[in-house]
Amino acid sequence: MNPNKAREHFSAYYEGSLDPGLKQSFERKLATDAAIQAEYQAFARAVDQLNELKNLPIETPFDLHDRITARLDHHLWERKQKRAFSLVGWWKAVAVGGLATVAILATIFSLKGGGGQYTAGALTSPVREEVRLLMKGDRLQLSYRASGRATIKIHEGVGGKVLQTIQLDRQAVESPISNAGEKPTLVSITCSADSRRMVVALPGTTPSREVEGDGTVSDLALAAAGYYQVPVRIETEALDAKVRWKLVGETVSEAVSSDLDQSGLALEKRDGMLVILKH
Amino acid sequence: MLIRKHERRAYQYAFRLTSNADEAADIVGDAFVRVYNALQNFRGQSAFTTWLYRILTNCYLDMRKREKNKQHVSLDAPTTVAGMEHERQVEDPAASPETAVEKSERERAVQEAVAQLPEYQRAMLTMYHVENLSYEEISEALDLPIGTVKSRLNRARLSLRELLLKDEELFQL
């Protein structure tokens, strides 16, 4: 048994939980290696002393309870203040003009020999023959490879005014889609060669602190995008269905535990973004 | 009711991590705010105290991230009085026998060594040796496999042993 392996067993030996074979091997090492024996003895003394720490008394401040309740009261007061300033839910106040801040910087690549290779050097991911939305770092990216002619359109809201049209002819496109506006915004993406419509809420530059609200599924997507600061895709057709929500935690992983009030909907973490879908 | 029941234990844990009464109280306050916000999602997958330890540990780690450069006045730093430097004197309330002083010195050395460990190791050692949490409870509290808890605790103890080497004479039997 080498010294490093022996050290890995110090705690288990101290606690008497090494299995018999290993214990025999370890004790043989202690008997034959004076340095490891000395190390183990020092280790055991240190652990003995650690076990004494619990006996050291700690005085609880006389006003601890008051400090805790004051902190909680302050937190509740802050939440009330935020609600008072957004009677209708600020996510509903997205101005149409704000959608002009959606930035789409499409990079188009030529396809060679039926689409197997790409000439541009900046292609960062394998591009599939379906429109895909994925996260690249903290940015949303659209990817598509057209084996023939195709037109991709990015709309404001759900099927609204066209913000950008990308014409492809046996080409691939990669495009970050970001929102430089303060508030979250909704965009939808259609492709002439793909029957699906993708709807996604893009976070704005200012995070939201609102955890509770009610409205449509689109409103929920905007609220979640603003709160968690990640894109939120809607994968249900019923965009106008009513839902009440209470968002939890602060991370995307915690978001999946949010309460969506028995609406039959769920928030799911996928590919670095959130997805609203039916259970 | 929940606060009354758990505040003292929560404070003692936080104090052992920070060695600072104000910071410990702040951590406990923040922790109970998080408890309040997340209570309806607590489905009893673990004991409430285990869950609370997790929240307290996260609040402590978050505080450390925010206040990396916080300075404390050292009790050993000399003060200047009328142009002369004096070492600050702290009255030792212990009785005079040598063994009591030695014991106190050992405790001080261990506490100082624990305070020098990385925050995560400090939290694990405190949970196990002071708060008497089992490996299973620590595993639940920190959301780590038990094997990982055991190996990290072993590493923390080895690190502590290294730090205590300079005070070795205090620990000789």
Side-chain angles (χ1 to χ4, degrees), chain A residues 7-8 11 15 39 43 45 49-51 53-54 56 58 60-61 64-65 67-68 71 75-76 79 246 248 259, chain B residues 4 7-8 11-12 16 22 25 28 30 36-37 40-41 107 110 128-129 132 135 154 157 160-161 168 171:
Chain A
R7 286 183 198 105
E8 284 176 21
S11 287
E15 290 164 356
E39 277 191 45
F43 175 91
R45 285 194 295 271
Q49 206 58 38
L50 267 176
N51 288 330
L53 284 181
K54 63 167 104 32
L56 294 177
I58 291 179
T60 309
L64 178 66
H65 185 77
R67 287 174 74 163
I68 296 169
R71 177 78 183 84
H75 170 71
L76 293 171
R79 270 172 58 159
K246 186 171 182 180
V248 300
D259 182 0
Chain B
R4 285 265 185 223
E7 62 188 12
R8 190 162 171 269
Y11 175 81
Q12 289 181 344
R16 295 209 190 268
D22 283 336
V28 174
D30 287 346
Y36 174 84
N37 287 336
Q40 69 175 63
N41 293 315
E107 287 164 358
V110 170
Y128 186 87
H129 289 282
N132 284 331
Y135 285 124
N154 187 59
R157 290 161 182 154
L160 182 74
R161 180 190 58 89
E168 192 66 8
F171 293 88

Tab-separated table of all heavy atoms in Angstrom, chain A residues 7-8 11 15 39 43 45 49-51 53-54 56 58 60-61 64-65 67-68 71 75-76 79 246 248 259, chain B residues 4 7-8 11-12 16 22 25 28 30 36-37 40-41 107 110 128-129 132 135 154 157 160-161 168 171:
chain	number	residue	atom	x	y	z
A	7	ARG	N	-3.224	7.189	3.254
A	7	ARG	CA	-3.874	8.420	3.768
A	7	ARG	C	-5.366	8.430	3.459
A	7	ARG	O	-6.161	8.949	4.238
A	7	ARG	CB	-3.209	9.655	3.166
A	7	ARG	CG	-1.842	9.947	3.735
A	7	ARG	CD	-1.245	11.224	3.178
A	7	ARG	NE	0.202	11.209	3.433
A	7	ARG	CZ	1.134	10.979	2.521
A	7	ARG	NH1	0.791	10.779	1.263
A	7	ARG	NH2	2.410	10.946	2.850
A	8	GLU	N	-5.740	7.858	2.337
A	8	GLU	CA	-7.177	7.806	1.994
A	8	GLU	C	-7.967	7.004	3.001
A	8	GLU	O	-9.185	7.161	3.113
A	8	GLU	CB	-7.360	7.171	0.607
A	8	GLU	CG	-7.018	8.089	-0.543
A	8	GLU	CD	-7.125	7.376	-1.885
A	8	GLU	OE1	-7.834	6.339	-1.966
A	8	GLU	OE2	-6.479	7.836	-2.833
A	11	SER	N	-9.383	8.099	7.825
A	11	SER	CA	-10.666	8.336	8.513
A	11	SER	C	-11.395	7.029	8.779
A	11	SER	O	-11.908	6.806	9.882
A	11	SER	CB	-11.562	9.242	7.671
A	11	SER	OG	-11.099	10.564	7.695
A	15	GLU	N	-12.383	5.493	12.409
A	15	GLU	CA	-13.775	5.230	12.774
A	15	GLU	C	-14.074	3.740	12.890
A	15	GLU	O	-15.190	3.359	13.235
A	15	GLU	CB	-14.704	5.873	11.735
A	15	GLU	CG	-14.702	7.377	11.822
A	15	GLU	CD	-15.288	8.046	10.585
A	15	GLU	OE1	-15.625	7.334	9.614
A	15	GLU	OE2	-15.404	9.276	10.582
A	39	GLU	N	2.268	10.147	10.790
A	39	GLU	CA	1.210	10.960	10.177
A	39	GLU	C	-0.147	10.553	10.716
A	39	GLU	O	-0.985	11.399	11.025
A	39	GLU	CB	1.211	10.766	8.650
A	39	GLU	CG	2.203	11.620	7.909
A	39	GLU	CD	1.946	11.575	6.405
A	39	GLU	OE1	0.768	11.696	5.999
A	39	GLU	OE2	2.928	11.413	5.655
A	43	PHE	N	-2.840	12.696	12.751
A	43	PHE	CA	-4.198	12.778	12.220
A	43	PHE	C	-5.209	12.448	13.310
A	43	PHE	O	-6.197	13.163	13.511
A	43	PHE	CB	-4.320	11.803	11.042
A	43	PHE	CG	-5.704	11.683	10.472
A	43	PHE	CD1	-6.113	12.500	9.433
A	43	PHE	CD2	-6.612	10.740	10.957
A	43	PHE	CE1	-7.393	12.387	8.881
A	43	PHE	CE2	-7.884	10.628	10.422
A	43	PHE	CZ	-8.275	11.451	9.384
A	45	ARG	N	-4.890	12.587	16.537
A	45	ARG	CA	-4.928	13.645	17.563
A	45	ARG	C	-5.776	14.829	17.078
A	45	ARG	O	-6.551	15.399	17.836
A	45	ARG	CB	-3.511	14.101	17.902
A	45	ARG	CG	-2.729	13.134	18.767
A	45	ARG	CD	-1.476	13.803	19.352
A	45	ARG	NE	-0.511	14.183	18.335
A	45	ARG	CZ	0.456	13.382	17.891
A	45	ARG	NH1	0.578	12.159	18.364
A	45	ARG	NH2	1.296	13.816	16.975
A	49	GLN	N	-9.284	16.242	18.675
A	49	GLN	CA	-9.487	17.637	19.072
A	49	GLN	C	-10.690	18.252	18.357
A	49	GLN	O	-11.420	19.044	18.941
A	49	GLN	CB	-8.214	18.441	18.771
A	49	GLN	CG	-8.045	19.661	19.645
A	49	GLN	CD	-8.018	19.353	21.121
A	49	GLN	OE1	-7.463	18.347	21.554
A	49	GLN	NE2	-8.613	20.223	21.916
A	50	LEU	N	-10.901	17.832	17.124
A	50	LEU	CA	-12.089	18.292	16.404
A	50	LEU	C	-13.349	17.886	17.157
A	50	LEU	O	-14.301	18.650	17.259
A	50	LEU	CB	-12.138	17.655	15.013
A	50	LEU	CG	-11.523	18.416	13.851
A	50	LEU	CD1	-11.583	17.566	12.587
A	50	LEU	CD2	-12.230	19.739	13.613
A	51	ASN	N	-13.321	16.673	17.673
A	51	ASN	CA	-14.507	16.182	18.386
A	51	ASN	C	-14.763	16.949	19.676
A	51	ASN	O	-15.863	16.898	20.220
A	51	ASN	CB	-14.352	14.686	18.687
A	51	ASN	CG	-14.477	13.833	17.428
A	51	ASN	OD1	-15.180	14.204	16.481
A	51	ASN	ND2	-13.789	12.702	17.398
A	53	LEU	N	-14.541	20.190	19.861
A	53	LEU	CA	-15.070	21.522	19.543
A	53	LEU	C	-16.533	21.684	19.928
A	53	LEU	O	-16.979	22.776	20.294
A	53	LEU	CB	-14.910	21.808	18.040
A	53	LEU	CG	-13.523	22.164	17.546
A	53	LEU	CD1	-13.563	22.447	16.043
A	53	LEU	CD2	-12.954	23.378	18.282
A	54	LYS	N	-17.275	20.593	19.860
A	54	LYS	CA	-18.710	20.707	20.164
A	54	LYS	C	-18.942	21.073	21.624
A	54	LYS	O	-20.021	21.548	21.992
A	54	LYS	CB	-19.449	19.411	19.830
A	54	LYS	CG	-19.049	18.199	20.614
A	54	LYS	CD	-20.038	17.075	20.427
A	54	LYS	CE	-19.646	15.932	19.531
A	54	LYS	NZ	-18.327	15.480	19.376
A	56	LEU	N	-17.318	23.366	23.200
A	56	LEU	CA	-17.080	24.788	23.434
A	56	LEU	C	-18.408	25.514	23.380
A	56	LEU	O	-19.117	25.441	22.384
A	56	LEU	CB	-16.128	25.358	22.369
A	56	LEU	CG	-14.699	24.819	22.399
A	56	LEU	CD1	-13.905	25.422	21.253
A	56	LEU	CD2	-14.037	25.116	23.728
A	58	ILE	N	-21.271	28.311	22.941
A	58	ILE	CA	-21.456	29.501	22.112
A	58	ILE	C	-22.664	30.252	22.658
A	58	ILE	O	-23.742	29.688	22.808
A	58	ILE	CB	-21.700	29.117	20.650
A	58	ILE	CG1	-20.420	28.544	20.053
A	58	ILE	CG2	-22.151	30.319	19.833
A	58	ILE	CD1	-20.551	28.104	18.639
A	60	THR	N	-25.658	32.610	22.495
A	60	THR	CA	-26.598	33.127	21.486
A	60	THR	C	-26.936	34.567	21.838
A	60	THR	O	-27.247	34.858	22.992
A	60	THR	CB	-27.889	32.290	21.504
A	60	THR	OG1	-27.537	30.912	21.424
A	60	THR	CG2	-28.790	32.650	20.339
A	61	PRO	N	-26.873	35.492	20.864
A	61	PRO	CA	-27.223	36.879	21.162
A	61	PRO	C	-28.651	36.972	21.706
A	61	PRO	O	-29.549	36.279	21.226
A	61	PRO	CB	-27.128	37.577	19.805
A	61	PRO	CG	-26.317	36.680	18.948
A	61	PRO	CD	-26.507	35.298	19.444
A	64	LEU	N	-31.336	37.697	19.024
A	64	LEU	CA	-31.288	36.939	17.770
A	64	LEU	C	-32.673	36.806	17.142
A	64	LEU	O	-32.852	37.026	15.941
A	64	LEU	CB	-30.684	35.550	18.014
A	64	LEU	CG	-30.629	34.635	16.790
A	64	LEU	CD1	-29.669	35.194	15.749
A	64	LEU	CD2	-30.212	33.210	17.177
A	65	HIS	N	-33.637	36.433	17.942
A	65	HIS	CA	-34.990	36.223	17.394
A	65	HIS	C	-35.525	37.516	16.778
A	65	HIS	O	-36.109	37.492	15.681
A	65	HIS	CB	-35.936	35.728	18.480
A	65	HIS	CG	-37.294	35.391	17.968
A	65	HIS	ND1	-37.560	34.219	17.285
A	65	HIS	CD2	-38.477	36.080	17.987
A	65	HIS	CE1	-38.844	34.196	16.926
A	65	HIS	NE2	-39.420	35.321	17.337
A	67	ARG	N	-33.815	39.947	15.527
A	67	ARG	CA	-33.082	40.239	14.286
A	67	ARG	C	-33.608	39.395	13.128
A	67	ARG	O	-33.748	39.857	11.997
A	67	ARG	CB	-31.589	39.979	14.485
A	67	ARG	CG	-30.910	41.028	15.352
A	67	ARG	CD	-29.484	40.681	15.667
A	67	ARG	NE	-28.617	40.880	14.507
A	67	ARG	CZ	-27.309	40.973	14.582
A	67	ARG	NH1	-26.705	40.894	15.756
A	67	ARG	NH2	-26.580	41.140	13.508
A	68	ILE	N	-33.922	38.137	13.425
A	68	ILE	CA	-34.437	37.263	12.367
A	68	ILE	C	-35.807	37.741	11.904
A	68	ILE	O	-36.077	37.849	10.695
A	68	ILE	CB	-34.529	35.799	12.850
A	68	ILE	CG1	-33.141	35.252	13.163
A	68	ILE	CG2	-35.205	34.922	11.807
A	68	ILE	CD1	-33.157	33.916	13.889
A	71	ARG	N	-35.591	40.826	9.842
A	71	ARG	CA	-35.108	40.521	8.489
A	71	ARG	C	-36.248	39.995	7.623
A	71	ARG	O	-36.401	40.381	6.457
A	71	ARG	CB	-33.970	39.501	8.598
A	71	ARG	CG	-33.393	39.010	7.287
A	71	ARG	CD	-32.452	39.994	6.643
A	71	ARG	NE	-31.986	39.491	5.360
A	71	ARG	CZ	-32.652	39.610	4.207
A	71	ARG	NH1	-33.816	40.234	4.189
A	71	ARG	NH2	-32.156	39.106	3.100
A	75	HIS	N	-38.042	41.695	4.318
A	75	HIS	CA	-38.178	40.953	3.053
A	75	HIS	C	-39.623	41.015	2.549
A	75	HIS	O	-39.877	41.271	1.363
A	75	HIS	CB	-37.753	39.507	3.270
A	75	HIS	CG	-38.078	38.605	2.114
A	75	HIS	ND1	-37.404	38.670	0.919
A	75	HIS	CD2	-39.017	37.640	1.955
A	75	HIS	CE1	-37.909	37.770	0.082
A	75	HIS	NE2	-38.888	37.137	0.693
A	76	LEU	N	-40.574	40.829	3.456
A	76	LEU	CA	-41.981	40.859	3.068
A	76	LEU	C	-42.383	42.259	2.622
A	76	LEU	O	-43.155	42.434	1.669
A	76	LEU	CB	-42.866	40.402	4.242
A	76	LEU	CG	-42.692	38.928	4.635
A	76	LEU	CD1	-43.426	38.628	5.927
A	76	LEU	CD2	-43.191	38.020	3.522
A	79	ARG	N	-41.137	42.860	-0.942
A	79	ARG	CA	-41.991	42.171	-1.920
A	79	ARG	C	-43.259	42.966	-2.159
A	79	ARG	O	-43.724	43.104	-3.290
A	79	ARG	CB	-42.340	40.772	-1.421
A	79	ARG	CG	-41.348	39.727	-1.859
A	79	ARG	CD	-41.591	38.406	-1.223
A	79	ARG	NE	-42.918	37.893	-1.487
A	79	ARG	CZ	-43.225	36.607	-1.378
A	79	ARG	NH1	-42.294	35.742	-1.059
A	79	ARG	NH2	-44.440	36.179	-1.574
A	246	LYS	N	-46.030	30.820	-9.683
A	246	LYS	CA	-45.143	31.291	-8.633
A	246	LYS	C	-43.771	30.674	-8.931
A	246	LYS	O	-43.580	29.469	-8.842
A	246	LYS	CB	-45.623	30.840	-7.258
A	246	LYS	CG	-44.797	31.429	-6.129
A	246	LYS	CD	-45.419	31.158	-4.787
A	246	LYS	CE	-44.572	31.818	-3.688
A	246	LYS	NZ	-45.121	31.602	-2.365
A	248	VAL	N	-39.835	29.823	-8.495
A	248	VAL	CA	-39.030	29.531	-7.302
A	248	VAL	C	-37.553	29.521	-7.640
A	248	VAL	O	-37.166	29.326	-8.792
A	248	VAL	CB	-39.402	28.162	-6.656
A	248	VAL	CG1	-40.836	28.149	-6.244
A	248	VAL	CG2	-39.087	27.011	-7.561
A	259	ASP	N	-44.375	26.671	-9.253
A	259	ASP	CA	-45.778	26.284	-9.126
A	259	ASP	C	-46.575	26.923	-10.259
A	259	ASP	O	-46.656	28.147	-10.344
A	259	ASP	CB	-46.278	26.770	-7.752
A	259	ASP	CG	-47.718	26.390	-7.494
A	259	ASP	OD1	-48.334	25.744	-8.366
A	259	ASP	OD2	-48.225	26.743	-6.419
B	4	ARG	N	-38.383	29.962	16.269
B	4	ARG	CA	-38.042	29.744	17.679
B	4	ARG	C	-37.399	28.378	17.886
B	4	ARG	O	-36.446	28.219	18.635
B	4	ARG	CB	-39.308	29.809	18.549
B	4	ARG	CG	-39.843	31.201	18.759
B	4	ARG	CD	-39.326	31.796	20.051
B	4	ARG	NE	-39.947	33.100	20.276
B	4	ARG	CZ	-39.286	34.169	20.706
B	4	ARG	NH1	-38.007	34.110	20.968
B	4	ARG	NH2	-39.927	35.307	20.895
B	7	GLU	N	-33.760	28.489	15.679
B	7	GLU	CA	-32.861	29.635	15.531
B	7	GLU	C	-31.551	29.450	16.292
B	7	GLU	O	-30.485	29.840	15.792
B	7	GLU	CB	-33.556	30.924	15.975
B	7	GLU	CG	-33.971	30.939	17.435
B	7	GLU	CD	-34.829	32.149	17.799
B	7	GLU	OE1	-35.288	32.856	16.874
B	7	GLU	OE2	-35.064	32.374	18.999
B	8	ARG	N	-31.622	28.862	17.483
B	8	ARG	CA	-30.417	28.762	18.307
B	8	ARG	C	-29.410	27.823	17.665
B	8	ARG	O	-28.220	28.138	17.515
B	8	ARG	CB	-30.781	28.267	19.693
B	8	ARG	CG	-29.667	28.351	20.678
B	8	ARG	CD	-30.154	28.270	22.123
B	8	ARG	NE	-29.004	28.145	22.992
B	8	ARG	CZ	-28.486	26.982	23.381
B	8	ARG	NH1	-29.044	25.857	22.999
B	8	ARG	NH2	-27.427	26.944	24.151
B	11	TYR	N	-27.986	29.419	14.591
B	11	TYR	CA	-26.996	30.442	14.919
B	11	TYR	C	-25.663	29.805	15.302
B	11	TYR	O	-24.596	30.263	14.880
B	11	TYR	CB	-27.500	31.334	16.059
B	11	TYR	CG	-26.458	32.323	16.515
B	11	TYR	CD1	-26.250	33.506	15.818
B	11	TYR	CD2	-25.638	32.044	17.618
B	11	TYR	CE1	-25.267	34.395	16.214
B	11	TYR	CE2	-24.659	32.937	18.007
B	11	TYR	CZ	-24.483	34.108	17.306
B	11	TYR	OH	-23.506	34.986	17.689
B	12	GLN	N	-25.715	28.765	16.127
B	12	GLN	CA	-24.472	28.132	16.585
B	12	GLN	C	-23.700	27.554	15.401
B	12	GLN	O	-22.473	27.681	15.328
B	12	GLN	CB	-24.784	27.063	17.632
B	12	GLN	CG	-25.231	27.680	18.945
B	12	GLN	CD	-25.540	26.672	20.014
B	12	GLN	OE1	-25.713	25.484	19.744
B	12	GLN	NE2	-25.622	27.130	21.251
B	16	ARG	N	-20.037	28.947	14.183
B	16	ARG	CA	-18.849	28.077	14.075
B	16	ARG	C	-18.206	28.226	12.695
B	16	ARG	O	-17.008	28.047	12.539
B	16	ARG	CB	-19.225	26.621	14.322
B	16	ARG	CG	-19.711	26.386	15.748
B	16	ARG	CD	-19.420	25.004	16.225
B	16	ARG	NE	-20.099	24.719	17.480
B	16	ARG	CZ	-19.569	24.917	18.681
B	16	ARG	NH1	-18.359	25.410	18.793
B	16	ARG	NH2	-20.253	24.622	19.766
B	22	ASP	N	-22.043	38.932	14.316
B	22	ASP	CA	-22.909	39.670	13.386
B	22	ASP	C	-23.123	38.898	12.087
B	22	ASP	O	-24.238	38.811	11.574
B	22	ASP	CB	-22.302	41.041	13.061
B	22	ASP	CG	-22.525	42.019	14.200
B	22	ASP	OD1	-23.490	41.820	14.977
B	22	ASP	OD2	-21.748	42.975	14.316
B	25	ALA	N	-25.481	36.021	12.663
B	25	ALA	CA	-26.880	36.452	12.758
B	25	ALA	C	-27.429	36.798	11.374
B	25	ALA	O	-28.580	36.481	11.055
B	25	ALA	CB	-27.000	37.648	13.693
B	28	VAL	N	-28.178	33.614	9.493
B	28	VAL	CA	-29.402	32.968	9.984
B	28	VAL	C	-30.630	33.726	9.468
B	28	VAL	O	-31.623	33.120	9.051
B	28	VAL	CB	-29.401	32.891	11.523
B	28	VAL	CG1	-30.731	32.370	12.034
B	28	VAL	CG2	-28.274	31.981	12.001
B	30	ASP	N	-30.870	35.548	6.682
B	30	ASP	CA	-31.006	35.240	5.251
B	30	ASP	C	-31.562	33.840	5.044
B	30	ASP	O	-32.379	33.597	4.155
B	30	ASP	CB	-29.643	35.338	4.553
B	30	ASP	CG	-29.174	36.768	4.391
B	30	ASP	OD1	-30.013	37.682	4.579
B	30	ASP	OD2	-27.985	36.985	4.094
B	36	TYR	N	-38.629	30.715	4.202
B	36	TYR	CA	-39.984	31.262	4.011
B	36	TYR	C	-40.386	31.185	2.541
B	36	TYR	O	-41.490	30.780	2.207
B	36	TYR	CB	-40.030	32.708	4.499
B	36	TYR	CG	-41.342	33.390	4.217
B	36	TYR	CD1	-42.435	33.240	5.071
B	36	TYR	CD2	-41.501	34.174	3.077
B	36	TYR	CE1	-43.645	33.851	4.793
B	36	TYR	CE2	-42.705	34.784	2.789
B	36	TYR	CZ	-43.782	34.624	3.658
B	36	TYR	OH	-44.982	35.223	3.370
B	37	ASN	N	-39.465	31.585	1.656
B	37	ASN	CA	-39.771	31.613	0.224
B	37	ASN	C	-39.959	30.220	-0.364
B	37	ASN	O	-40.724	30.043	-1.309
B	37	ASN	CB	-38.643	32.317	-0.553
B	37	ASN	CG	-38.645	33.810	-0.350
B	37	ASN	OD1	-39.682	34.399	-0.019
B	37	ASN	ND2	-37.496	34.438	-0.533
B	40	GLN	N	-43.159	26.139	0.797
B	40	GLN	CA	-44.266	25.367	0.208
B	40	GLN	C	-43.758	24.325	-0.785
B	40	GLN	O	-44.468	23.400	-1.146
B	40	GLN	CB	-45.278	26.290	-0.461
B	40	GLN	CG	-44.788	26.975	-1.717
B	40	GLN	CD	-45.908	27.769	-2.361
B	40	GLN	OE1	-46.422	28.713	-1.790
B	40	GLN	NE2	-46.293	27.377	-3.548
B	41	ASN	N	-42.514	24.483	-1.225
B	41	ASN	CA	-41.947	23.479	-2.113
B	41	ASN	C	-41.164	22.410	-1.369
B	41	ASN	O	-40.645	21.491	-1.986
B	41	ASN	CB	-41.023	24.147	-3.147
B	41	ASN	CG	-41.808	25.009	-4.092
B	41	ASN	OD1	-42.845	24.610	-4.582
B	41	ASN	ND2	-41.329	26.217	-4.315
B	107	GLU	N	-7.367	24.085	21.912
B	107	GLU	CA	-8.677	24.428	21.327
B	107	GLU	C	-8.534	25.635	20.401
B	107	GLU	O	-9.086	25.664	19.307
B	107	GLU	CB	-9.688	24.724	22.432
B	107	GLU	CG	-10.161	23.483	23.172
B	107	GLU	CD	-10.847	23.804	24.497
B	107	GLU	OE1	-10.919	25.007	24.860
B	107	GLU	OE2	-11.270	22.862	25.170
B	110	VAL	N	-6.858	24.608	17.173
B	110	VAL	CA	-7.756	23.862	16.276
B	110	VAL	C	-8.768	24.810	15.631
B	110	VAL	O	-9.031	24.749	14.436
B	110	VAL	CB	-8.489	22.734	17.042
B	110	VAL	CG1	-9.586	22.118	16.191
B	110	VAL	CG2	-7.494	21.668	17.467
B	128	TYR	N	-20.055	17.610	10.717
B	128	TYR	CA	-19.828	16.255	11.235
B	128	TYR	C	-19.399	16.276	12.702
B	128	TYR	O	-19.976	15.588	13.542
B	128	TYR	CB	-18.761	15.541	10.397
B	128	TYR	CG	-18.582	14.084	10.784
B	128	TYR	CD1	-19.378	13.096	10.204
B	128	TYR	CD2	-17.645	13.700	11.746
B	128	TYR	CE1	-19.237	11.761	10.574
B	128	TYR	CE2	-17.502	12.376	12.116
B	128	TYR	CZ	-18.303	11.407	11.520
B	128	TYR	OH	-18.164	10.086	11.901
B	129	HIS	N	-18.360	17.086	13.002
B	129	HIS	CA	-17.750	16.989	14.328
B	129	HIS	C	-18.435	17.837	15.385
B	129	HIS	O	-18.326	17.547	16.568
B	129	HIS	CB	-16.274	17.389	14.226
B	129	HIS	CG	-15.447	16.383	13.505
B	129	HIS	ND1	-15.027	15.218	14.095
B	129	HIS	CD2	-14.986	16.360	12.228
B	129	HIS	CE1	-14.334	14.507	13.209
B	129	HIS	NE2	-14.286	15.170	12.073
B	132	ASN	N	-22.799	17.071	14.774
B	132	ASN	CA	-23.124	15.638	14.886
B	132	ASN	C	-24.045	15.124	13.794
B	132	ASN	O	-24.860	14.226	14.024
B	132	ASN	CB	-23.781	15.342	16.251
B	132	ASN	CG	-22.753	15.323	17.355
B	132	ASN	OD1	-21.591	14.996	17.117
B	132	ASN	ND2	-23.163	15.687	18.542
B	135	TYR	N	-22.997	10.945	8.080
B	135	TYR	CA	-22.591	11.044	6.680
B	135	TYR	C	-23.822	11.141	5.773
B	135	TYR	O	-23.826	11.899	4.798
B	135	TYR	CB	-21.774	9.807	6.266
B	135	TYR	CG	-20.370	9.793	6.797
B	135	TYR	CD1	-19.897	8.731	7.568
B	135	TYR	CD2	-19.483	10.837	6.520
B	135	TYR	CE1	-18.598	8.705	8.047
B	135	TYR	CE2	-18.191	10.825	7.003
B	135	TYR	CZ	-17.755	9.752	7.771
B	135	TYR	OH	-16.467	9.735	8.256
B	154	ASN	N	-12.372	13.267	4.755
B	154	ASN	CA	-11.020	12.756	5.019
B	154	ASN	C	-9.975	13.776	4.577
B	154	ASN	O	-9.006	14.058	5.289
B	154	ASN	CB	-10.810	11.422	4.308
B	154	ASN	CG	-9.492	10.768	4.695
B	154	ASN	OD1	-9.252	10.490	5.879
B	154	ASN	ND2	-8.630	10.526	3.735
B	157	ARG	N	-9.822	16.647	6.989
B	157	ARG	CA	-9.083	16.299	8.201
B	157	ARG	C	-7.582	16.264	7.940
B	157	ARG	O	-6.783	16.697	8.779
B	157	ARG	CB	-9.547	14.933	8.725
B	157	ARG	CG	-10.958	14.936	9.299
B	157	ARG	CD	-11.512	13.534	9.367
B	157	ARG	NE	-12.875	13.518	9.879
B	157	ARG	CZ	-13.750	12.567	9.587
B	157	ARG	NH1	-13.412	11.548	8.807
B	157	ARG	NH2	-14.981	12.607	10.102
B	160	LEU	N	-6.429	19.753	7.875
B	160	LEU	CA	-6.359	20.273	9.239
B	160	LEU	C	-5.082	19.799	9.918
B	160	LEU	O	-4.389	20.575	10.589
B	160	LEU	CB	-7.588	19.818	10.029
B	160	LEU	CG	-7.666	20.347	11.463
B	160	LEU	CD1	-8.047	21.811	11.452
B	160	LEU	CD2	-8.675	19.567	12.291
B	161	ARG	N	-4.762	18.558	9.721
B	161	ARG	CA	-3.547	17.987	10.322
B	161	ARG	C	-2.318	18.753	9.846
B	161	ARG	O	-1.421	19.068	10.628
B	161	ARG	CB	-3.434	16.508	9.977
B	161	ARG	CG	-2.214	15.801	10.549
B	161	ARG	CD	-2.075	14.423	9.938
B	161	ARG	NE	-1.963	14.501	8.485
B	161	ARG	CZ	-0.820	14.631	7.837
B	161	ARG	NH1	0.319	14.722	8.491
B	161	ARG	NH2	-0.799	14.682	6.522
B	168	GLU	N	2.469	21.370	16.801
B	168	GLU	CA	2.525	19.955	17.165
B	168	GLU	C	2.792	19.725	18.641
B	168	GLU	O	2.227	18.836	19.255
B	168	GLU	CB	3.601	19.268	16.296
B	168	GLU	CG	3.588	17.774	16.360
B	168	GLU	CD	2.317	17.140	15.770
B	168	GLU	OE1	1.488	17.854	15.163
B	168	GLU	OE2	2.127	15.948	15.941
B	171	PHE	N	0.040	19.123	20.978
B	171	PHE	CA	-0.783	17.930	20.831
B	171	PHE	C	-0.042	16.644	21.211
B	171	PHE	O	-0.566	15.558	21.062
B	171	PHE	CB	-1.290	17.815	19.385
B	171	PHE	CG	-2.255	18.905	19.042
B	171	PHE	CD1	-1.797	20.115	18.551
B	171	PHE	CD2	-3.614	18.751	19.243
B	171	PHE	CE1	-2.671	21.142	18.261
B	171	PHE	CE2	-4.498	19.780	18.962
B	171	PHE	CZ	-4.011	20.961	18.460
